[in-house]
Amino acid sequence: MKRVLILGRGASGKSTLAKRLGAITGLPVVELDKAFWRAGLVATSRDEWVAVQEKLIVDERWIMDGDLGRLDSVEARLRAADTIILLDFSFVRCAWRAIRRSRERADFWWWVLAYRRQSRPVLMKAIAHCAANAELHVFRDPASLKLFIHEVACE
């Protein structure tokens, strides 16, 4: 694991996992939300976002966390990653985490609600097309993720 991409619906724990894996592995963590969102939660244009990612993936070692749903362009990150982690936790779990952490906009809630029907299929197709050689880990519950973290820590 040298280039790790963490994806998943909003409030699934992507940033928390990235920080945890970064502490265990020593890999630098890049929080994509900070690179993507402008002041006032204005989205970066697609062309500019692709260019930003091309600069970010040049480094040989990183953990990038972030899934921007329909606003995202993941292909460059997928091609560069050797490990992809998809946090595919339930709507209820993610909604509970989102409510506990902050107020969210309506577009966030629509994305979280429709993730498995809309975003996940597009993402899985992109993974199959752009990252066929990457190691893919899909976690549907915190217990299996906890076991994975433990295994990484013991390596």
Side-chain angles (χ1 to χ4, degrees):
M1 275 192 342
K2 291 183 180 178
R3 292 176 160 190
V4 182
L5 183 56
I6 303 173
L7 303 164
R9 91 171 62 191
S12 60
K14 297 178 297 292
S15 296
T16 302
L17 175 60
K19 290 173 191 161
R20 183 86 188 270
L21 288 178
I24 292 168
T25 64
L27 295 170
V29 175
V30 179
E31 192 174 337
L32 294 174
D33 277 345
K34 290 181 180 176
F36 180 79
W37 295 105
R38 307 282 186 221
L41 285 179
V42 175
T44 300
S45 72
R46 183 169 293 276
D47 290 341
E48 188 178 350
W49 181 231
V50 170
V52 167
Q53 291 178 83
E54 292 293 344
K55 292 176 185 171
L56 292 173
I57 63 173
V58 170
D59 293 336
E60 293 191 25
R61 297 170 25 94
W62 43 256
I63 297 172
M64 290 188 194
D65 78 281
D67 188 332
L68 302 159
R70 65 178 179 73
L71 300 175
D72 210 349
S73 176
V74 298
E75 292 79 10
R77 297 191 322 261
L78 290 172
R79 283 191 295 274
D82 61 38
T83 305
I84 300 166
I85 299 171
L86 176 61
L87 300 180
D88 192 20
F89 296 155
S90 71
F91 167 75
V92 172
R93 179 173 304 283
C94 295
W96 175 246
R97 286 179 176 177
I99 289 167
R100 288 180 38 212
R101 77 177 185 191
S102 65
R103 294 181 68 97
E104 298 290 352
R105 298 182 337 183
D107 56 344
F108 170 85
W109 286 108
W110 282 116
W111 172 56
V112 170
L113 181 63
Y115 188 83
R116 280 207 182 137
R117 252 185 5 266
Q118 293 177 357
S119 296
R120 188 180 184 279
V122 170
L123 195 55
M124 295 306 289
K125 186 175 181 180
I127 291 169
H129 184 258
C130 298
N133 295 325
E135 191 170 332
L136 174 63
H137 302 273
V138 178
F139 298 103
R140 298 207 49 165
D141 62 85
S144 60
L145 178 59
K146 187 176 180 179
L147 180 61
F148 173 77
I149 293 168
H150 177 74
E151 290 171 359
V152 171
C154 290
E155 288 180 353

